[in-house]
Amino acid sequence: MQRSTTITITGAGGQIGYALLFRIAAGDMLGADRPVRLRLLEIPQGVRAAEGAALELQDCAFPLLESVDVTVSADEAFDGAEIGMLVGARPRGPGMERADLLAANAGIFGPQGAAIAAGAASGFRAVVVGNPANTNALIAASAADGVPADRFTALTRLDHNRAVGQLVEVLGVGADEIADVIIWGNHSATQFPDVAHAHLADGTTVSAALADRLGGTEAAIAWLDDVFIPRVAKRGAEIIEVRGSSSVASAANAAIEHVRDEQLGTHRGWTSAALVSRGEYGVPEGIVCSFPVVSRGDGAGYRVIEDLAFDARGRALFDASVAELVAERDAVRALGVL
Ligand code: NAX
């Protein structure tokens, strides 16, 4: 057995929290030989739900679960934390403008960033799930004085997995046969799901496989533009329409895979995650943007794959999503938060 890891989950009494906790405690995230201590952070309205989940965790008698603590104090929750999964956020209410939404979330992610700076372990890393995830990560990173900004990432792995899922359906191959899909930009409807570098296990490019399946290059391009990109980018809304509730188990699964690959390493090719830009691909520094990333699993976290080529159409789509991220950052700045 390895030493135990302290994981703080915010919004743990919510839907995604409930889908996350049991899988983490069962060893799905960090492996079957790494015990975990869970810290569940909630607001007073959500604390009973988190306490109930803690009782159920006890009833599972997971061998890897060393402890579960429920708290409404961010300082307590992040004290000594090594991994943060920042799920709890303020949803957009009826008639709420973007500035109100960003202000409400700044009131959550700012203090959490400060609590991380005050007490988290030196190797701490966080993934932000709560929306608007990219900008919430930016707010937390800026508030975490003294913590390197690259410790904060935002989740676009769900978008990445959604893109792979669409290709699986059309190409009739297994998910593990598809590599090097990319989600560029914001976790929002402006994101750019890109298959230009994607390929199958036998080396065939996804573009060639699509042309083969769909009856030529033009048909493949039309499918990418008219079906694939909008469907992946708006999948969240489709799930709400069909299911009557937002994505939960798939979001929890993606968050687990994001942390697992960051901590233990990516294997075949790259994945997608939103990282604080250091100017890669001309993205303004400091913006939290989704890129193709790899991790060696050595504690250094994700690293952006650089120097991939775009065609003009792809570059325009990516630029539009980056422009949205810049506008979100500027709106937060205007509130005096950054
Ligand atoms: P729920 O409303 O079920 O749960 C959110 C929980 O967060 C609630 O229990 C609430 O009490 C708690 N909370 C609110 N403010 C808090 C604070 N300051 N500290 C601690 N806890 C707090 O939402 P759920 O379905 O679990 O979704 C959570 C977030 O994930 C939402 O913001 C949602 O938009 C976002 N998503 C992000 C995705 C992504 O890929 N990045 C996909 C799925 C999901 O839409």
Side-chain angles (χ1 to χ4, degrees):
M1 270 299 168
Q2 298 185 34
R3 61 168 193 86
S4 64
T5 303
T6 303
I7 305 164
T8 302
I9 296 147
T10 76
Q15 299 194 83
I16 294 175
Y18 193 72
L20 271 177
L21 296 171
F22 299 85
R23 288 192 57 193
I24 297 171
D28 284 359
M29 189 164 81
L30 299 179
D33 59 350
R34 201 155 145 193
V36 292
R37 299 160 179 262
L38 300 182
R39 299 269 184 75
L40 315 188
L41 177 65
E42 260 296 346
I43 50 175
Q45 301 92 295
V47 86
R48 292 295 283 165
E51 284 170 354
L55 295 180
E56 283 201 67
L57 282 165
Q58 186 181 22
D59 294 347
C60 293
F62 287 118
L64 290 174
L65 185 57
E66 275 192 3
S67 63
V68 184
D69 298 301
V70 181
T71 178
V72 293
S73 155
D75 286 331
E76 272 179 36
F78 287 109
D79 187 36
E82 294 160 273
I83 295 174
M85 301 179 80
L86 278 49
V87 180
R90 176 72 194 275
R92 190 187 285 255
M96 205 173 182
E97 297 296 329
R98 183 173 68 172
D100 302 330
L101 180 74
L102 290 170
N105 279 295
I108 294 174
F109 289 86
Q112 288 180 3
I116 287 164
S122 58
F124 176 83
R125 290 193 176 275
V127 58
V128 175
V129 177
N131 281 320
N134 300 52
T135 298
N136 287 341
L138 171 69
I139 293 166
S142 332
D145 240 358
V147 179
D150 68 3
R151 302 299 176 81
F152 292 85
T153 58
L155 187 72
T156 53
R157 182 61 173 265
L158 177 56
D159 308 295
H160 182 100
N161 289 347
R162 285 168 171 167
V164 172
Q166 292 304 310
L167 296 173
V168 163
E169 189 182 358
V170 169
L171 297 177
V173 298
D176 57 354
E177 291 176 69
I178 299 172
D180 295 347
V181 167
I182 306 170
I183 303 297
W184 299 99
N186 200 0
H187 168 67
S188 78
T190 69
Q191 67 180 255
F192 171 35
D194 182 10
V195 302
H197 304 276
H199 56 89
L200 304 183
D202 67 4
T204 316
T205 64
V206 161
S207 306
L210 285 171
D212 199 38
R213 270 271 157 162
L214 300 172
T217 307
E218 271 180 33
I221 292 173
W223 180 80
L224 287 169
D225 284 348
D226 301 340
V227 181
F228 174 78
I229 293 176
R231 193 157 196 210
V232 172
K234 295 178 189 159
R235 183 69 157 187
E238 184 183 348
I239 299 290
I240 291 173
E241 193 195 314
V242 175
R243 199 179 162 256
S245 165
S246 57
S247 307
V248 176
S250 57
N253 177 66
I256 284 170
E257 291 185 347
H258 174 112
V259 173
R260 181 197 66 200
D261 286 357
E262 184 179 37
Q263 296 280 327
L264 307 181
T266 42
H267 294 294
R268 220 168 39 81
W270 58 66
T271 184
S272 302
L275 266 57
V276 177
S277 165
R278 289 177 295 124
E280 297 94 340
Y281 297 98
V283 175
E285 273 181 49
I287 296 283
V288 178
C289 179
S290 185
F291 292 110
V293 299
V294 286
S295 164
R296 288 191 300 264
D298 57 1
Y302 284 125
R303 172 175 68 76
V304 176
I305 299 288
E306 296 194 65
D307 301 325
L308 296 173
F310 285 99
D311 60 15
R313 169 184 146 280
R315 186 71 227 191
L317 290 170
F318 183 26
D319 287 347
S321 197
V322 171
E324 183 183 50
L325 286 169
V326 169
E328 287 182 16
R329 179 203 59 193
D330 291 348
V332 173
R333 269 194 188 153
L335 296 168
V337 173
L338 295 181

